[in-house]
Amino acid sequence: MNWRNPWLLPILILVLASAVQLDLPWWSLAVVAFVVGLAIAPTGRVAFWAGFSGGGLSWILPAAWLAYQNNGLLAHRVAQLLPLGGSSVALVLVAGVVAGLVGGLAALAGCWLREAFRAPSAVQQ
């Protein structure tokens, strides 16, 4: 499959993961990224970066919005519990990196699973 728009997969993961995480647990992000990677990611590199960016944004955007809504009070208190020096910005970025790694590795695993079951003749071409 030839993907002309490189933003299609990250936006798809972002939208689906954000919608699914409204009612399901945090790890539903991994399920969404895995299925997208399994179904339509053309290569492992594209799958990882699409999962990383889509998954990371699905946590960064709501976390930043919630921190903005309460002037960063709760994020500041949580950041004090972690070795982040009380920085709410650092907490939002750490949450985004964690979600990005979860999404990226799940999408990569989905892509690799599809490639593992591909016929040997198709892999050599």
Side-chain angles (χ1 to χ4, degrees):
M1 218 178 267
N2 186 7
W3 294 96
R4 296 184 189 271
N5 188 351
W7 291 102
L8 178 67
L9 289 178
I11 290 173
L12 181 64
I13 291 172
L14 169 65
V15 169
L16 291 177
S18 297
V20 167
Q21 290 180 94
L22 290 174
D23 290 330
L24 296 177
W26 69 268
W27 50 265
S28 60
L29 160 68
V31 175
V32 168
F34 180 84
V35 169
V36 170
L38 179 69
I40 58 178
T43 64
R45 178 181 292 175
V46 171
F48 177 79
W49 288 113
F52 186 87
S53 58
L57 284 174
S58 77
W59 278 18
I60 285 177
L61 295 176
W65 175 253
L66 291 173
Y68 172 75
Q69 289 296 312
N70 64 12
N71 295 325
L73 294 176
L74 181 61
H76 174 72
R77 290 182 181 175
V78 173
Q80 286 178 330
L81 296 172
L82 300 172
L84 299 175
S87 172
S88 57
V89 173
L91 180 68
V92 169
L93 292 177
V94 166
V97 169
V98 169
L101 288 173
V102 169
L105 292 174
L108 181 62
C111 183
W112 281 354
L113 181 67
R114 184 187 69 238
E115 289 177 4
F117 286 108
R118 186 177 293 163
S121 62
V123 173
Q124 294 174 356
Q125 293 177 359

